[in-house]
Amino acid sequence: MASTDTKPDDLAGLEAGLDALDAVQVRRTPLREVLVAKVLPPVVAVVLVVLVWQLLVWGEVTDDYKLPPPSAVWDSLGDMWLKGTLLEVVWTSVSRGLLGFLMAVAIGTPLGLLVARVKVVRAALGPILSGLQSLPSVAWVAPAVIWLGLNDKMMYAVILLGAVPSVANGLVSGVDQVPPLFLRAGRTIGATGLRGTWHIVLPAALPGYLAGLKQGWAFSWRSLMAAEIIASSPDLGLGLGQLLENGRNNFDMPGIFLAILLILFVGIAIDLLIFSPLERRVLRGRGLLVKN
């Protein structure tokens, strides 16, 4: 009789244990811990790179005109800031890159869904998309200039040709990883066609799709830089690619290093401000990341 009386208590304890396993421990990370874990490491890495750079300059491993000191690059940055051209140059490239990337997403997303869900389209376009993704985007600059001329349309064409295959292939990869059980469950509740795509396929394929978006942005940015470096014109304005090319033409190594660092900075900033928060949100929604 004693064992019979305790059975409900045992079941209650088991349920409580399972609930505890499913529960995500939530706590607010102290500011000091955040600074030490996320801010200090990249700061230290940057300081070490600059220190090694300065040591190489002091060691005179090469001529000054080939490897300028960090102070010379800093002076170039200050000159552009005082002239009021720094933000204008950065924004010219960033606005082009973001607009071109959004256009690539608008085209690549339905294209990726079509390739992933229709076998005939996949057989016809799948290999072409993979080939286009492996083609260096710089190869499109010359024909784009001939087709469209030296204007923003040419820039966006190069971005699209470089980024659309990456976005589409990322979504195809994500859809391929959707468990068949999800699709069968969707059909059971009547989620077929567009409803099934919107409510079942896309949410389940989101991690792969997000990876494709990150890669699509990388291709957009690299394609834009290639177009700006090769196709220089006063009508196009001064972007980061043109800044780099101007430094080469003028044998201005501090200007070249500054352009390279600005291009790198924009790429890192877009990842930290846009894609990293999206990744954290997706992981948290799937219980793969502890909330802080």
Side-chain angles (χ1 to χ4, degrees):
M1 294 296 293
S3 60
T4 303
D5 294 337
T6 58
K7 181 176 283 189
D9 295 335
D10 294 339
L11 292 176
L14 178 59
E15 291 177 357
L18 292 175
D19 290 340
L21 288 174
D22 291 335
V24 177
Q25 300 296 324
V26 179
R27 72 179 183 89
R28 179 173 293 276
T29 305
L31 178 60
R32 180 179 178 183
E33 185 176 334
V34 172
L35 293 176
V36 172
K38 296 184 178 181
V39 178
L40 186 59
V43 171
V44 172
V46 171
V47 171
L48 289 177
V49 169
V50 174
L51 179 60
V52 172
W53 181 359
Q54 185 63 58
L55 290 175
L56 292 175
V57 172
W58 283 338
E60 297 181 352
V61 295
T62 187
D63 297 328
D64 290 342
Y65 72 90
K66 294 182 180 179
L67 182 65
S71 59
V73 179
W74 180 259
D75 291 340
S76 295
L77 178 66
D79 290 340
M80 290 190 65
W81 177 262
L82 293 176
K83 292 177 182 177
T85 58
L86 178 62
L87 296 181
E88 181 181 353
V89 170
V90 173
W91 176 244
T92 297
S93 293
V94 170
S95 59
R96 282 176 182 161
L98 289 177
L99 181 56
F101 171 69
L102 292 177
M103 295 168 60
V105 172
I107 297 173
T109 299
L111 179 61
L113 281 174
L114 192 63
V115 172
R117 302 290 286 171
V118 182
K119 293 183 179 179
V120 176
V121 176
R122 183 168 193 153
L125 297 183
I128 296 176
L129 287 177
S130 298
L132 289 174
Q133 187 173 356
S134 63
L135 181 68
S137 55
V138 68
W140 292 112
V141 177
V145 171
I146 296 174
W147 294 335
L148 301 172
L150 288 172
N151 50 47
D152 284 336
K153 293 180 181 179
M154 178 273 299
M155 296 284 183
Y156 294 130
V158 174
I159 293 174
L160 291 176
L161 289 168
V164 167
S166 296
V167 175
N169 282 331
L171 184 52
V172 170
S173 177
V175 172
D176 288 344
Q177 296 175 18
V178 175
L181 180 61
F182 288 8
L183 303 178
R184 291 198 297 268
R187 288 193 294 267
T188 301
I189 63 176
T192 58
L194 292 177
R195 291 181 59 189
T197 299
W198 181 256
H199 294 287
I200 305 297
V201 176
L202 282 178
L206 191 56
Y209 179 47
L210 185 56
L213 291 181
K214 287 187 65 174
Q215 193 172 39
W217 162 251
F219 273 84
S220 297
W221 190 236
R222 288 188 293 180
S223 300
L224 175 62
M225 291 301 102
E228 287 186 349
I229 290 173
I230 296 176
S232 297
S233 170
D235 297 334
L236 292 172
L238 182 62
L240 292 175
Q242 290 100 326
L243 182 66
L244 180 62
E245 180 65 9
N246 290 344
R248 184 188 71 85
N249 292 332
N250 297 326
F251 297 97
D252 179 15
M253 283 305 295
I256 291 175
F257 272 74
L258 176 60
I260 293 173
L261 292 175
L262 289 175
I263 293 170
L264 179 63
F265 173 79
V266 170
I268 294 174
I270 294 296
D271 181 73
L272 292 178
L273 296 176
I274 298 178
F275 292 108
S276 292
L278 285 176
E279 280 184 328
R280 289 195 298 268
R281 184 172 182 178
V282 170
L283 292 176
R284 285 171 180 168
R286 284 159 171 74
L288 300 175
L289 186 65
V290 176
K291 294 181 180 180
N292 292 322

